[in-house]
Amino acid sequence: MELHDVWFVLIAVLWTGYFFLEGFDFGVGVLTKLLARDRTEKRVLINTIGPVWDGNEVWLLTAGGATFAAFPEWYATLFSGFYLPLLLILVCLIVRGVAFEYRVKRPEENWQRNWETAIFWTSLIPAFLWGVAFGNIVRGVKIDRNFDYVGTLWDLLNPYALLGGLVTLTLFTFHGTVFTALKTVGDIRVRARKLASVIGLAAAVLALLFLLWTQVDGGDGKSLIALVVAVAALVAALVANQVGREGWSFALSGVTIVAVVAMLFLTLFPNVMPSSLNEDWSLTVTNASSSPYTLKIMTWCAAIATPVVMLYQGWTYWVFRKRIGTQHIAADTAH
């Protein structure tokens, strides 16, 4: 296997890790409107991800940086062609981080309600737009012979990509709902399990349609295996949630996300951005990659740094593993 193939796999792993971890972050943010009945319950939801949300975003930074260094042509075409959607995602992530920190800085109800609304929208919008973006990457976009994107914003809003957006939105919300059931106690835990059954069923239907469409358009035997794993894991997650096994349900919803991302990258390879105008103008792991020397240096750096980061993040989750409920929210912070 060539180094550019290795880095294609590594970037796929980074995006998988990001969607697995940030997926339940986004889902919990959406639940601040769908599940929480009062200010105290919103605080409970926010506290379930409070210690980890910023660490989860490191995976996005690493995936973007790795793409820039390993596949500069891919990075340039992607971020120029998808400029507006990616800028909107970036703005949402910035506002979302500010909202988490600023919400409790002042006691006024309007102040806190506005930041809670910001958390909801800046969780929902990226959860949807990531699916739209990856749907377009897999489907192919208008790239000319110079590897420049020559389409418009409206070209990105095609039925396949929009369906992909609905899939990521519902999958992440389901992932966040079972995470909430896993991390809370009391009535909010019971209601989270009930809501997970509804959202999970919607996610299953949408995901099946999207993955079948993907398989028919450009899949092979490997992507078909990923499809079967994704659907089976999602069904098993729904069953586990129904019988009150929150840990298994969360793990299986994570397997679903991993399998879906794996299927998309398996369908994509050896392309990194197919051209819908001419197959010869597609960006591939060969023509979009950096020099072998650059990839070699990156591989050594990744081999040293990645285990350290993963160990530290795993330790963080272990430290903050306990469940919380409304009884753990102090009266003066339950606004």
Side-chain angles (χ1 to χ4, degrees), residues 136-249:
N136 278 293
I137 291 173
V138 173
R139 173 180 175 268
V141 292
K142 294 181 179 178
I143 299 175
D144 65 12
R145 65 175 66 248
N146 298 316
F147 302 138
D148 293 327
Y149 177 72
V150 293
T152 66
L153 174 63
W154 304 112
D155 292 324
L156 302 179
L157 303 179
N158 55 81
Y160 176 78
L162 292 175
L163 178 59
L166 292 175
V167 169
T168 52
L169 175 58
T170 53
L171 273 181
F172 291 168
T173 305
F174 174 68
H175 197 41
T177 309
V178 293
F179 176 79
T180 299
L182 178 64
K183 287 288 292 180
T184 58
V185 295
D187 182 59
I188 193 170
R189 174 188 178 188
V190 175
R191 286 188 283 112
R193 282 166 47 188
K194 291 180 180 178
L195 183 60
S197 297
V198 177
I199 296 175
L201 183 59
V205 173
L206 292 170
L208 181 60
L209 292 174
F210 178 73
L211 296 179
L212 286 175
W213 192 342
T214 304
Q215 180 66 25
V216 170
D217 270 2
D220 56 14
K222 294 179 180 178
S223 62
L224 180 60
I225 293 173
L227 186 157
V228 173
V229 171
V231 174
L234 185 51
V235 172
L238 282 167
V239 173
N241 174 74
Q242 195 67 30
V243 298
R245 300 299 297 271
E246 292 102 341
W248 280 105
S249 183

Side-chain angles (χ1 to χ4, degrees), residues 41-54:
E41 290 191 350
K42 288 182 180 180
R43 189 63 181 171
V44 170
L45 291 174
I46 293 171
N47 283 1
T48 62
I49 59 174
V52 297
W53 69 267
D54 48 354

Side-chain angles (χ1 to χ4, degrees), residues 69-115:
F71 299 100
E73 288 283 357
W74 183 12
Y75 182 93
T77 304
L78 175 64
F79 279 81
S80 60
F82 293 19
Y83 180 80
L84 287 177
L86 293 178
L87 177 62
L88 181 56
I89 290 174
L90 178 60
V91 170
C92 284
L93 294 180
I94 292 172
V95 174
R96 186 168 176 265
V98 173
F100 282 130
E101 300 296 333
Y102 274 38
R103 177 189 172 276
V104 293
K105 296 299 184 183
R106 290 172 56 178
E108 292 86 353
E109 185 174 342
N110 286 339
W111 170 272
Q112 296 191 0
R113 183 185 298 112
N114 288 338
W115 286 120

Side-chain angles (χ1 to χ4, degrees), residues 40 326 328-335:
T40 303
T326 54
H328 300 115
I329 305 298
D332 59 344
T333 62
H335 299 294

Side-chain angles (χ1 to χ4, degrees), residues 308-323:
V308 176
V309 173
M310 294 184 69
L311 285 171
Y312 174 76
Q313 193 164 25
W315 175 80
T316 303
Y317 277 93
W318 174 256
V319 170
F320 295 101
R321 65 189 183 277
K322 292 184 178 180
R323 296 176 182 264

